[in-house]
Amino acid sequence: VQLQASGGGLVQPGGSLRLSCVASGFTSDFYAIGWFRQAPGKEREGVSCISSSDDSTNYAESVKGRFTISRDNAKNTVFLQMSSLKFEDTAVYYCAARNNWLVSGWTSSAVDYWGKGTLVTVSS
C-alpha cells in the first residue's frame, strides 16, 4: 500500500487548509484510512480516520468541530478539511491506513501503512 499526502503549507490562525492523500495498493475493500500528526517535541497523535466499510469516522477531541475527513472512492483519495486552525495545529501530518476497518483505537501502534508527512504551519 502506498499513501501520498499533499496540501500542507503556511496558514494564519483561523484559516483553513485541505490535506489530500492518494492511496493505492489495497488488496482488500475493508480498511481504515486517516491522519496522524506530530508536533515538534511531541508524540505522534491520531487526528482522524474514516472507514471504507461504512464511512464511519473518528476524530481527536482537539479537532472535533473544526476538522472534517472525507473520501472520494473514485479517486482513491481521502481528504482532511481543516478549519479554524490554531497555533497548536502546527505539525507534520501523516496519512496512514490499516487493514482493520473499524475507526476506534486510531493509534500509531495500530497502523499498518504510513505515508510521508506534509507540514502544516499555523502562524501569523
Side-chain angles (χ1 to χ4, degrees):
V1 174
Q2 292 189 329
L3 305 171
Q4 183 65 50
S6 62
L10 175 64
V11 62
Q12 291 185 339
S16 298
L17 207 60
R18 188 177 79 159
L19 305 182
S20 301
C21 176
V22 179
S24 62
F26 283 110
T27 58
S28 168
D29 290 334
F30 301 101
Y31 55 87
I33 185 168
W35 301 88
F36 284 76
R37 68 185 180 185
Q38 189 166 20
K42 295 188 176 181
E43 293 186 356
R44 193 170 296 189
E45 65 168 341
V47 175
S48 180
C49 68
I50 186 167
S51 172
S52 70
S53 176
D54 59 4
D55 283 336
S56 56
T57 58
N58 189 13
Y59 294 93
E61 286 296 327
S62 59
V63 306
K64 278 183 179 178
R66 300 188 299 121
F67 291 10
T68 302
I69 193 168
S70 61
R71 294 193 310 144
D72 182 334
N73 290 340
K75 298 181 179 180
N76 295 321
T77 303
V78 62
F79 303 99
L80 185 69
Q81 178 67 46
M82 305 185 293
S83 303
S84 302
L85 283 162
K86 305 176 181 181
F87 292 118
E88 52 264 41
D89 293 318
T90 295
V92 176
Y93 284 71
Y94 297 90
C95 183
R98 66 184 186 192
N99 295 316
N100 179 349
W101 64 88
L102 297 176
V103 296
S104 60
W106 185 243
T107 61
S108 296
S109 61
V111 166
D112 296 308
Y113 312 104
W114 290 98
K116 292 184 179 180
T118 184
L119 177 62
V120 173
T121 303
V122 183
S123 175
S124 54

